[in-house]
Amino acid sequence: MMLSIASKEELPIVRDLAYKIWPDTYGPTHTQAELDYMLKKFYAVKSLENQLDKGHVFVLAKENGVHLGFVSYEINSENTTKTKIHKLYVLPETQGKGIGKMLVDYVKKEALSNRNSALFLNVNKLNKAQYFYTKYGFSITQDIIIDIGNGYVMDDYVMEFKL
């Protein structure tokens, strides 16, 4: 397994992975219209470029020439000494094989080298990934609802892992 920081030119790979992964992850709990809206809003290449410009780092997981997933994170997020994991997704057929853990471990190492005190993230309350985060050692610290426009909200837990 190879992990590499995505360049601006590789952002279409992130977009393509999201379009493959999201229907399986959110299809059972969200409408197609909501999925389409969120994918366009968060994964259009221009949106990903804006995230990169704001300090988000995208890391791609690749094996045998095939991209299997990605993580994006931000050191010192929200003017704190905490690192935020903005996105973490692996292809459905590769889940449970340690790729997600490897990606979080990478972010953890970067956070520690930047003297951050914790990792944190938002996870949809209906997303089974919250069990992965709990197993890793994250705990729920907040319950939030974020208006993302077009009549849609993200109903999330904020989870944190102390470093």
Side-chain angles (χ1 to χ4, degrees), residues 4 24 31 37 65 73-75 82 88 91 114 118 144 146 152:
S4 63
D24 185 74
T31 67
Y37 174 79
Y73 66 94
E74 178 185 10
I75 302 288
K82 297 178 182 180
L88 174 63
L91 291 170
N114 283 277
I144 60 169
I146 303 165
Y152 301 122

Side-chain angles (χ1 to χ4, degrees), residues 143-157:
D143 186 323
I144 60 169
I145 296 176
I146 303 165
D147 185 340
I148 58 169
N150 212 39
Y152 301 122
V153 298
M154 294 193 316
D155 191 7
D156 292 352
Y157 290 124

Side-chain angles (χ1 to χ4, degrees), residues 22-111:
W22 271 47
D24 185 74
T25 303
Y26 298 111
T29 57
H30 294 70
T31 67
Q32 188 61 50
E34 191 173 10
L35 287 179
D36 292 344
Y37 174 79
M38 290 191 298
L39 282 165
K40 268 187 207 147
K41 181 175 179 74
F42 301 127
Y43 289 97
V45 171
K46 188 73 184 145
S47 175
L48 293 170
E49 287 174 355
N50 289 339
Q51 293 165 50
L52 204 59
D53 292 342
K54 290 179 183 170
H56 298 200
V57 178
F58 290 84
V59 178
L60 294 165
K62 185 178 184 178
E63 189 172 59
N64 300 323
V66 178
H67 288 96
L68 304 176
F70 65 93
V71 65
S72 78
Y73 66 94
E74 178 185 10
I75 302 288
N76 298 324
S77 182
E78 301 173 13
N79 297 312
T80 68
T81 58
K82 297 178 182 180
T83 296
K84 181 167 189 177
I85 295 176
H86 288 282
K87 300 169 176 26
L88 174 63
Y89 293 99
V90 297
L91 291 170
E93 62 272 21
T94 66
Q95 290 175 7
K97 295 184 178 176
I99 300 166
K101 182 182 183 313
M102 189 180 302
L103 288 165
V104 175
D105 286 346
Y106 179 95
V107 175
K108 180 180 163 185
K109 184 176 139 246
E110 291 300 308

